[in-house]
Amino acid sequence: MSVAAGETAEETAGETAGEIDFTHAMARVPGPVVVTTTVDDSGRRWGFTASSFVSLSLDPPLVTVSLDKKASTHAAFAVAGHFMVNVLAHDQSEIARRFATSGVDRFAAGDTELLERGLPGIPRAVVRLACRMHEVVDGGDHSMLVGRVLDCVTSHEREALVYVDRGFVRPAARG
């Protein structure tokens, strides 16, 4: 719910959905499974499975990726000059799980390499978007990383992985 012109947040506070109801509702909304990666000034690679990814603008080409402010990767991404969005393929759910797990070396499996713009990426992803950081926007308990898309690589040979109802699914075959 948005705050209408002339209303204050306090006036609408009693009208917002409860956290549990909202969480259950959003679990029903399918979304692409995205691993976002970057490299810092010291050469260390960072990555996470995004909780939300959407296109924002065609002109200029902008996308947003949401990142929990409590995530171990938040500080690195908040100051990153560039990042890569990797939209995973239907058979890459293990990569998504690994990049969503705390306390593990997310890059140890060797399924990433330096790709467009020298960013760590997943070669077999169905889409890779190399982005320059356009803006970091406050979004409550998350930050929205707004990226200006510099390079697009798309594979039409594989289906994307989708997350819905707290599980990974493969889209139905095209008819």
Side-chain angles (χ1 to χ4, degrees):
M1 171 172 287
S2 63
V3 176
E7 292 182 325
T8 65
E10 292 77 26
E11 291 172 326
T12 61
E15 300 173 14
T16 59
E19 186 175 324
I20 293 173
D21 291 339
F22 182 68
T23 300
H24 288 305
M26 297 316 307
R28 297 284 301 143
V29 179
V33 180
V34 173
V35 168
T36 306
T37 55
T38 194
V39 61
D40 65 21
D41 291 338
S42 71
R44 182 174 177 189
R45 298 172 297 172
W46 297 87
F48 67 96
T49 301
S51 62
S52 175
F53 165 71
V54 295
S55 65
L56 179 63
S57 170
L58 182 61
D59 185 19
L62 300 174
V63 295
T64 66
V65 181
S66 295
L67 175 58
D68 191 322
K69 290 179 180 175
K70 294 179 283 189
S72 61
T73 57
H74 188 273
F77 277 92
V79 299
H82 293 82
F83 62 89
M84 182 175 292
V85 176
N86 300 272
V87 179
L88 299 185
H90 69 275
D91 59 351
Q92 294 179 317
S93 60
E94 179 52 41
I95 296 172
R97 285 186 190 90
R98 183 172 5 102
F99 276 83
T101 303
S102 296
V104 301
D105 181 352
R106 296 170 178 174
F107 293 91
D111 44 18
T112 63
E113 58 187 68
L114 295 181
L115 296 168
E116 294 78 29
R117 309 277 170 158
L119 292 164
I122 300 169
R124 297 188 65 235
V126 296
V127 172
R128 287 192 313 274
L129 304 173
C131 303
R132 182 178 68 241
M133 186 69 74
H134 180 75
E135 185 176 8
V136 179
V137 179
D138 179 71
D141 59 1
H142 281 64
S143 290
M144 293 178 292
L145 311 176
V146 180
R148 184 172 184 138
V149 179
L150 304 173
D151 299 302
C152 301
V153 176
T154 305
S155 168
H156 298 282
E157 299 162 5
R158 304 167 70 220
E159 298 294 324
L161 183 63
V162 175
Y163 191 76
V164 64
D165 287 332
R166 303 188 199 309
F168 298 110
V169 298
R170 181 179 184 173
R174 294 178 213 169

